[in-house]
Structures are given as structure tokens and as C-alpha cells.
Amino acid sequence: MNNQNTTGYKQVLVEISETRDVFGKLDDFFRKADENISNDPDDPRGGIGLFPGLDRLMLLIPCVIDRLEDDMSGLKDGANVEPITQGLHAIKTGINSVLTYYNFDDVGKAVNLLSSAALDIDKLVNLKDLPLVRFFKDLNRIAPDFHILLSSFEGFHENRRTRPKELEPDQSWSPECWLDYYLEQARLEEPLIAMVDAEGLSEASLEKGMELMINEGENRDKMNKKLFESYNLMKNRDAAFNEECPHDFLDIAEIPEAKDDENDDDYDVTAIDLQYYEEEDEPTEPWAGSLPELQNWNEHKFESDSSFDDSGFSRQNFRDDPVYQLLNPFVLDVFKCLKDDHLFRAKERDEESGEDRMRSPLDHYLIILSLKIQARIASCGVMAESVGHEASRKGVYMFAMECLERFADAIERFSQKHLYRLAREARNIKNQIAGI
């Protein structure tokens, strides 16, 4: 073996060793996490679990490295080892992305690392005249699992970006503190509300908020499409993979399309009534007498049903809330009025110029304000029970009053004379809530 090839050989061995070390850190992390969970009697989990894609990579990556090491003796003199070291480096980067997620809870950096790793692998497997071809075939086989894992991380990242942090209920919060929380939550959830709060209520701020809302909707659609594709990829790979023999997964020519075992259309579905009736006195099956649990079932069933008191598990139906009852007919009226107005204007536009029928930013703003109140009223009972007093409910009522005032102000600011009736009704309900 000449000096040049010896140098390349050593480079690959060093990269293999470093890749094993990084993988060992990840493997140790999961092992220790599982041990800590199993030693904690208060932890109901059976283990930390693995994300889709990662579950298979944890078994396949050691196989890929072992096979590369076995093939090293076939490295030809003067072979370009750079693609091999790049492939190993990509695997290391992918592993480090998972460690970054778990050790630092930095999903943004994890996405960047994993995206870089997946992109590098995709580029490598499409190169020509590659040395140790089996290694790159193995890379090509595990590449989809990196993409499946990347889809999960991207979903987590998008969730954290668009959703408010989970609230830690604080019994010391006043209704005013709860109002601040609900307003901040609304800004985080709704680009239209956030833009109006940041720049003031104007045609420009509503249009900017609307544009942001549309962009977020398009991004969600893209994400959902990607998740659907990822699901189909997982389904096919899961069906072909046997964790007892991961090497076999690397050697199959291609991943077949997974087919359902049964076709529901081939079977007649019959409804079965599982209710037990006292008057029925069917003969006991011979085998049932040997099972005390079955033999005594009916005897204990009715006794248990009559003695169980579930009053502690019930909570007030949000539809019984007096503010919800005030708001519900108003919100329905808002939707009907805006719908009729939109259809009328859309018909006029069709007849004149055929312009887009999308609702105006103002209409969307009014709808969001209406829906946001209802959503908060529907969920405030759970929060009130959690903290043990009514401050959160009173905060929701204050939030409802704030949204109703914004609703009326927007109608008057833009001189929507056909909606003045709704503005008056909004302020009337606001005054009624203040007296509750």
C-alpha cells in the first residue's frame, strides 16, 4: 500500500473511530435515561422512547460502520477517500443533532444540524465513481430515516415558534394578571392580533397581519404534506424492517410498498349490542366456571355501578357559563352577518371584474376576536379548577370585554355602517359582563 493510500486509510479509520465515539455517547444517553426511569417508582414510562426514524437508525448506524470497516481492506491504491469521510461526518452530524436536542433542548440548532446531515448524504449517494460502493448504498438506505427524524424535529420547531408556552398555574395571579396572559396568548396565536397590537389598528396593520396569517397557513399545509409523506415512508420501512436482523434491511434491493393485510370492503360489518340485561339467563359456558373473574362478573358489576360516585370528576359545562350564553347568539349573528355581506360583495365583484373572493383583513380580524372569546370561555373552567379559585375565570371575562371593545372600535374606525348594529350589541354585552 503506497503512502498516499496509507494516509487515506488512516483518515477513514480516524473518522470511523470518531463516529463510533459520538454514537456511543447517544447510546449511553438513552441507556442511562432508561435506567433512571426504571429506578423511579413515580415515573409511569417504560423508557424514554425513540422518535420515528431514530429507532431504526440506532440499530442501522452500527451496522453501516461495521460493514465499512470490513470493506476497508478492499480500498484501492490512490482511491479518493474524501466521500467516505464526508459520509461518516454526515452521520456524526446527524447523531449530534439528537444530542443537541436532548442535552440542550435546542430544537432550532438540532434542525439545522440534521438538515445539513441529510443534505450531505443525499449529495454523496448521487456521486459517480465512489470507492467502497457498499458504504454509499448503505448510506442511501438509511437516508430516509434521517429525513423522517428531520420531519419530527421540524414539527417540534414550528410548534414552539407558533404556540405560546404552557402555563404553570399560579394561585397568586390576580384577574388582571390572567388578562395579561390571555392577551399575550392571543398575540402569539394570531398574527392579525399581534400586528394590530404592535402597530395600532389601521388598514396597513390588518393587511400585514393577514399576509402573515396566509403565510403561516401555507407553511402548515406544506408541513402537513411533508408529514403525510413521512408517514407513508415510515409505513413502508417499518413493514420491511426486522430489528432482530438489521443487516438484512441494508441488503434488500428496494423497500416494497406496504399493503394492508385486510380489505375492509371484503367484510360485512355487523353492529353488536354489548349491553347486559338482567332478564337474560343464558347458560354458562363450561369453561367460564373455572374463572372466578367471569363467574362473579354480573354479581359485582351492578354492585359497583350503584356504589361508584363520580360527582368529584364532573365539572361545569362551559355552555352553562353566563358569559358564554350572552356571547353565543352574538357570535352566531356576527358570522351570519359577515357571511351574507361577503357573499353579496363577492357576487358584485364577479359581475364587475371577477376579483378574488377572499374575505377582507377586517372581516378576518372581527371573526378572530369573536372566536377567541368563545375559545377562552370554553377552557377557563379547567384552569379555575386547577388553581382553586375564580381569578382565571374573571380574567377571561375581562378578556372578553377587551375583545368586544376592540370589535366595536374596529367597525367604527373603518365606518362599516352596515355593521354598526353589531358594534352596539358588542358594547351592550360588554356592559352586561361587567355586571356579572
Side-chain angles (χ1 to χ4, degrees):
M1 187 177 292
N2 60 37
N3 290 336
Q4 182 181 0
N5 204 52
T6 301
T7 302
Y9 188 90
K10 289 180 178 179
Q11 286 177 344
V12 175
L13 291 181
V14 168
E15 202 70 38
I16 287 175
S17 177
E18 291 180 358
T19 306
R20 286 193 193 279
D21 288 344
V22 174
F23 181 82
K25 290 179 182 178
L26 183 60
D27 196 43
D28 286 344
F29 170 84
F30 285 120
R31 179 178 51 78
K32 290 175 182 177
D34 287 341
E35 288 177 357
N36 291 337
I37 290 171
S38 64
N39 292 331
D40 184 356
D42 296 326
D43 196 323
R45 295 176 296 171
I48 193 172
L50 297 174
F51 296 125
L54 182 60
D55 52 354
R56 197 162 16 253
L57 286 170
M58 293 301 292
L59 296 172
L60 290 176
I61 287 176
C63 296
V64 173
I65 297 173
D66 288 343
R67 284 154 67 105
L68 173 59
E69 208 164 34
D70 291 342
D71 292 347
M72 286 297 292
S73 60
L75 195 63
K76 297 179 180 179
D77 288 349
N80 178 18
V81 299
E82 186 176 357
I84 300 175
T85 58
Q86 288 176 348
L88 290 167
H89 181 75
I91 293 175
K92 282 194 302 182
T93 303
I95 296 170
N96 277 322
S97 73
V98 182
L99 288 169
T100 298
Y101 173 81
Y102 280 110
N103 288 332
F104 305 104
D105 193 29
D106 190 342
V107 69
K109 186 174 181 181
V111 167
N112 290 336
L113 287 171
L114 190 53
S115 178
S116 174
L119 182 62
D120 288 344
I121 290 174
D122 290 343
K123 288 179 179 178
L124 285 170
V125 297
N126 290 313
L127 294 177
K128 304 295 185 182
D129 300 323
L130 291 166
L132 304 185
V133 172
R134 187 167 72 156
F135 172 65
F136 295 95
K137 287 183 177 178
D138 289 350
L139 271 185
N140 193 35
R141 179 52 48 83
I142 67 175
D145 286 314
F146 280 109
H147 285 284
I148 291 170
L149 179 58
L150 178 59
S151 292
S152 296
F153 281 178
E154 287 175 337
F156 302 153
H157 190 240
E158 183 66 12
N159 247 12
R160 292 189 185 186
R161 188 185 68 81
T162 59
R163 294 182 62 186
K165 290 184 178 179
E166 291 294 326
L167 172 68
E168 292 292 337
D170 190 332
Q171 294 184 2
S172 67
W173 277 12
S174 66
E176 289 76 17
C177 289
W178 282 101
L179 170 61
D180 290 341
Y181 168 73
Y182 291 129
L183 288 172
E184 178 61 20
Q185 205 172 31
R187 284 189 284 268
L188 288 167
E189 293 171 348
E190 305 296 344
L192 268 169
I193 294 177
M195 192 60 66
V196 168
D197 280 9
E199 299 186 0
L201 180 60
S202 67
E203 186 174 347
S205 65
L206 287 175
E207 288 179 353
K208 287 181 184 178
M210 185 74 170
E211 186 177 352
L212 284 173
M213 188 179 75
I214 292 172
N215 289 339
E216 286 197 358
E218 291 175 348
N219 288 336
R220 279 195 299 271
D221 289 342
K222 290 177 183 177
M223 183 66 68
N224 289 336
K225 181 180 179 182
K226 192 170 183 178
L227 288 174
F228 180 74
E229 293 171 351
S230 181
Y231 167 76
N232 285 330
L233 194 60
M234 280 189 285
K235 182 178 69 173
N236 293 336
R237 294 172 73 78
D238 287 346
F241 184 71
N242 180 359
E243 62 181 23
E244 300 296 328
C245 306
H247 287 85
D248 294 346
F249 185 74
L250 296 173
D251 288 328
I252 57 177
E254 62 180 16
I255 307 297
E257 288 285 332
K259 296 181 180 179
D260 295 331
D261 293 333
E262 295 180 350
N263 186 347
D264 291 339
D265 295 337
D266 294 341
Y267 298 88
D268 293 327
V269 179
T270 305
I272 301 175
D273 188 354
L274 297 177
Q275 184 175 357
Y276 288 89
Y277 296 94
E278 283 188 280
E279 60 269 26
E280 291 182 356
D281 188 20
E282 297 182 358
T284 305
E285 295 289 343
W287 53 267
S290 63
L291 299 175
E293 295 84 358
L294 291 177
Q295 192 175 23
N296 299 326
W297 170 256
N298 286 329
E299 178 182 338
H300 293 299
K301 177 181 182 296
F302 295 107
E303 180 182 341
S304 299
D305 288 347
S306 62
S307 62
F308 180 69
D309 179 14
D310 64 351
S311 60
F313 294 90
S314 62
R315 63 169 52 98
Q316 179 185 2
N317 190 321
F318 68 86
R319 292 183 179 84
D320 296 330
D321 187 284
V323 174
Y324 182 88
Q325 291 179 347
L326 278 173
L327 287 166
N328 194 48
F330 169 73
V331 173
L332 293 175
D333 193 18
V334 168
F335 270 80
K336 182 179 185 306
C337 188
L338 291 178
K339 177 183 176 182
D340 292 345
D341 181 55
H342 169 70
L343 292 176
F344 176 76
R345 284 183 288 151
K347 183 179 180 182
E348 283 189 334
R349 284 196 299 268
D350 282 347
E351 292 174 352
E352 293 175 4
S353 60
E355 293 179 8
D356 191 5
R357 298 185 181 187
M358 181 176 289
R359 284 189 176 91
S360 70
L362 176 61
D363 285 355
H364 276 282
Y365 183 63
L366 297 175
I367 288 171
I368 287 170
L369 287 173
S370 303
L371 288 177
K372 198 58 64 177
I373 304 172
Q374 294 288 69
R376 293 293 176 259
I377 295 292
S379 62
C380 73
V382 177
M383 198 62 72
E385 289 182 14
S386 176
V387 298
H389 54 77
E390 293 294 291
S392 63
R393 194 187 305 275
K394 292 177 181 177
V396 167
Y397 292 172
M398 295 169 69
F399 175 76
M401 294 165 64
E402 172 73 20
C403 288
L404 288 167
E405 181 58 37
R406 293 185 182 203
F407 181 95
D409 182 54
I411 289 174
E412 293 171 353
R413 181 78 60 88
F414 291 96
S415 301
Q416 301 292 297
K417 295 181 180 180
H418 62 293
L419 300 179
Y420 280 177
R421 174 181 63 83
L422 293 176
R424 290 192 298 271
E425 183 64 17
R427 289 208 171 97
N428 179 39
I429 294 174
K430 174 188 171 183
N431 292 334
Q432 292 183 65
I433 295 173
I436 293 178

